[in-house]
Amino acid sequence: MPLAELIEHNDARAIARLVGGDLRGADLRGVRFPPRTDLTRADLSGADLRQADLSGADLAGDGVYPNFTGAKLVGADLRGAELGIVPDFSRADLTDANLAGLNLGGAPEVGCSQFTEAKLLRTIFTGSCLLGADFTRADVSGADFAGARFWIGMERASTAEQVFLAASLFGGATWDSATTWPDDRLAEVFRQASYPAAEGTFRVCDKPRPGIAPHPPAGASAQPDNGGQGDVFVDFGR
C-alpha cells in the first residue's frame, strides 16, 4: 500500500516508521496526518504536501531544525503543528497554506526561522510569532500577517528603526496591495522600505541583516552572532 494510504488509514506501524525518516521528495498530497503524528527528525525537503493536513503533527525534531526546504505545501494546514522554533522553509511553496497562531520565534542559541525565497502567496500568518524570521527574497503577495510579530519592540521603535528592520528581515521580498501587515503603522513602514517593482507590486529594499546569521544546519554547533541586536529579533522570554 502506498505511504500516503497507510498514513490516511492511521496504520500505527507505518506512522511509527516516519520518525527520523527520509521523506525527501515524498508524494504526500492530501494526506491527513492523525493528531500527534510523530514526524520528529523526518526530512521533508522537497516533499509534495499539497493540501496536506499537518495540524497537530509533531515535526519539531530536537525542537530546533525541521527541514522543509523546497517542499510543496500549497494549501497545507499547519495550525497547531509542532514545528520547533526555527524551521527551514527556504524555497518552499506555501501558497494558500495556513500557519496561523504558530510560535516560530527564534532564540539566541539557535538562530531564526527561514522563509528565504519562499513562495508565500496568500499564506496565513495571522497571530503568529515570527521574531527574527528571515523572509529575504520571498514572495509574500496577498499574505496575511495581521497580528503577527516580527521583532521585539515592534510597536515602540522609531519609524527609521522600523524601516531598517523591515528591510533587514524582508530584503528583496515582493508584496502587493493584498498583503496584510500586522497593523497600519507597519503597513506604512513597509511602504517606506519598498519601491515599485511592477504594476501593483512592490519590492522591499535590500539591506544587510545587522549581525544576524541564518541558523546552522541540523546537528551543527549553533554560534549565532547577535551583534548587540539580538534582543530586537529574539524573544528571550521563551
Side-chain angles (χ1 to χ4, degrees), residues 21-234:
D22 183 354
L23 298 174
R24 289 174 293 178
D27 186 350
L28 298 169
R29 287 173 291 179
V31 170
R32 180 185 60 82
F33 291 85
R36 296 179 299 282
T37 296
D38 189 346
L39 291 168
T40 55
R41 295 175 296 283
D43 187 347
L44 289 156
S45 57
D48 192 340
L49 289 152
R50 284 175 284 181
Q51 305 299 324
D53 185 352
L54 288 154
S55 59
D58 185 355
L59 301 110
D62 296 323
V64 181
Y65 304 115
N67 186 0
F68 291 94
T69 56
K72 298 179 181 67
L73 288 148
V74 176
D77 187 350
L78 293 162
R79 292 173 296 174
E82 290 291 336
L83 297 175
I85 54 176
V86 286
D88 193 343
F89 288 100
S90 299
R91 302 181 303 284
D93 188 348
L94 286 147
T95 298
D96 294 316
N98 195 334
L99 286 77
L102 293 179
N103 190 343
L104 304 177
E109 65 274 16
V110 294
C112 303
S113 302
Q114 300 291 306
F115 291 92
T116 54
E117 300 181 4
K119 191 173 182 179
L120 304 170
L121 306 181
R122 300 177 300 279
T123 305
I124 300 171
F125 289 100
T126 54
S128 292
C129 177
L130 299 165
L131 296 174
D134 189 345
F135 290 89
T136 301
R137 296 183 299 282
D139 188 346
V140 298
S141 300
D144 189 351
F145 292 106
R149 295 181 68 207
F150 301 133
W151 55 81
I152 291 177
M154 202 165 69
E155 305 83 4
R156 301 186 301 273
S158 69
T159 299
E161 289 171 329
Q162 298 218 28
V163 168
F164 180 82
L165 289 168
S168 296
L169 296 177
F170 284 80
T174 54
W175 58 279
D176 61 13
S177 58
T179 303
T180 302
W181 298 108
D183 53 46
D184 291 341
R185 183 182 181 195
L186 263 293
E188 178 59 30
V189 163
F190 275 92
R191 279 192 287 271
Q192 292 188 33
S194 306
Y195 58 91
E199 185 175 352
T201 303
F202 305 88
R203 182 167 288 114
V204 181
C205 300
D206 287 305
K207 286 188 179 179
R209 303 184 74 206
I212 303 293
H215 66 66
S221 175
Q223 297 290 338
D225 174 15
N226 291 322
Q229 294 283 345
D231 57 343
V232 175
F233 298 102
V234 180

